[in-house]
Amino acid sequence: MTFEQIVFYSLAVVTIFSSIMVVVQRNPVNSALYLILDFFCLGGLYLTLNAQFIAIVHILVYAGAIMVLFVFVIMLLNLGDTHKLADRLNMKKIIGIAFGLAFFVELLYLLGFGTTRSISQQSPAAPEIGTIEYIGKVLFTKFLFPFEVTSFLLLAAIIGAVILAKKKIIH
Amino acid sequence: MIPLSHYLLLSAVIFSVGVVGVMTRRNAIVVFMCIELMLNSVNLTLVAFSSYLGDATGQMLVFFVMVVAAAEAAVGLAIVISLFRNKQTVNIDDINILKW
């Protein structure tokens, strides 16, 4: 096994483990911490794909901003093990897990039979594509309009979040 | 070298775990976290295709998915806070005011 393979498979194992732990943990704080571990592993996987810029932005935005927001809300609402009794395995959950497994089998089917020839190695241009320089060039030329539209999306999200989280409006 | 299908398989596993989480968990915040998991698995697919096919479009799409995820988390958590303020719970089984 080469160094690259060792890195990929160990990161993959930790990623799968931590994403399963996100689902099975009872305490939402533990779920959030496992999700942060998951995000760090995904950042490492982006590095193995030569996407340096995406890896850094991923860590900054997800682990740095979104997860802080999640943990903050969990602490704010003081959600401990409040729903321990409701966490038993019941019919709804069994059906949910069955649907998830069915979905996974469908994905496997697509992977195994849809694409008979898999690409075995990365494009030679991959290290160049992942750099900030290249991404910046493409972002501000070919994708300028979508980039500008995202600012409207963020503005709408800010206004929506402020209005929703405001104190209850009395009519 | 790692073939592309291994990355796709990994992201299929993460996406399925996210689907199971959304369908089985009853805590609204954990459901949000599972949605983030699913978004991340799709991001992994996009980056993998981007670097195996030598095209930057996939990485651009990841950038926009991150923006949407940030907006979704902000608005979603604001909704959770206002729901908690009104009903003192984040269990999605107890939140059924729109149910006919």
Side-chain angles (χ1 to χ4, degrees):
Chain A
M1 266 172 92
T2 61
F3 175 69
E4 205 179 0
Q5 283 173 321
I6 293 168
V7 170
F8 172 75
Y9 290 112
S10 47
L11 280 175
V13 167
V14 179
T15 309
I16 292 171
F17 167 75
S18 58
S19 36
I20 291 171
M21 290 311 274
V22 170
V23 175
V24 299
Q25 283 287 323
R26 278 183 177 160
N27 193 333
V29 178
N30 291 353
S31 286
L33 294 178
Y34 275 111
L35 194 57
I36 292 172
L37 176 65
D38 196 282
F39 287 157
F40 273 101
C41 293
L42 276 167
L45 284 169
Y46 292 153
L47 283 181
T48 65
L49 285 165
N50 281 313
Q52 305 96 328
F53 175 69
I54 293 295
I56 294 297
V57 168
H58 180 265
I59 299 288
L60 284 179
V61 171
Y62 275 103
I66 294 181
M67 287 322 291
V68 169
L69 200 62
F70 270 99
V71 175
F72 185 72
V73 170
I74 293 167
M75 303 277 182
L76 198 68
L77 301 186
N78 193 18
L79 303 167
D81 288 314
T82 42
H83 302 297
K84 218 167 208 170
L85 285 174
D87 263 283
R88 284 191 308 251
L89 207 66
N90 54 22
M91 202 57 204
K92 260 186 211 166
K93 283 191 181 168
I94 293 166
I95 292 172
I97 292 168
F99 270 105
L101 284 178
F103 182 76
F104 181 61
V105 171
E106 277 174 26
L107 285 179
L108 282 187
Y109 181 80
L110 280 176
L111 281 179
F113 302 102
T115 56
T116 42
R117 59 185 184 90
S118 176
I119 311 165
S120 60
Q121 57 183 343
Q122 289 179 24
S123 158
E128 191 214 349
I129 281 173
T131 57
I132 298 175
E133 189 189 352
Y134 192 90
I135 292 211
K137 264 183 200 156
V138 179
L139 190 62
F140 291 112
T141 54
K142 202 177 163 192
F143 291 89
L144 183 63
F145 182 66
F147 179 73
E148 296 293 343
V149 171
T150 53
S151 63
F152 280 101
L153 179 70
L154 287 173
L155 180 68
I158 293 166
I159 295 172
V162 169
I163 288 177
L164 282 170
K166 225 165 57 173
K167 240 182 151 41
K168 200 161 68 183
I169 301 157
I170 301 155
H171 292 289
Chain B
M1 295 304 280
I2 304 139
L4 174 62
S5 54
H6 289 199
Y7 282 99
L8 300 183
L9 187 64
L10 173 63
S11 77
V13 172
I14 301 172
F15 196 94
S16 306
V17 171
V19 169
V20 170
V22 167
M23 287 198 283
T24 55
R25 293 305 301 262
R26 302 265 70 90
N27 186 328
I29 293 176
V30 180
V31 171
F32 268 119
M33 287 196 254
C34 292
I35 292 172
E36 298 291 333
L37 264 185
M38 288 154 77
L39 286 169
N40 270 295
S41 77
V42 174
N43 279 355
L44 183 64
T45 313
L46 289 170
V47 175
F49 271 119
S50 168
S51 67
Y52 277 79
L53 299 178
D55 189 344
T57 310
Q59 297 194 15
M60 290 298 110
L61 213 49
V62 169
F63 193 74
F64 295 126
V65 168
M66 278 178 192
V67 174
V68 172
E72 176 248 329
V75 175
L77 290 171
I79 291 173
V80 168
I81 287 180
S82 61
L83 269 176
F84 188 80
R85 186 179 288 138
N86 287 314
K87 303 204 70 147
Q88 266 69 38
T89 179
V90 290
N91 188 336
I92 54 176
D93 281 340
D94 299 338
I95 300 163
N96 51 9
I97 45 175
L98 278 182
K99 204 184 248 176
W100 183 58

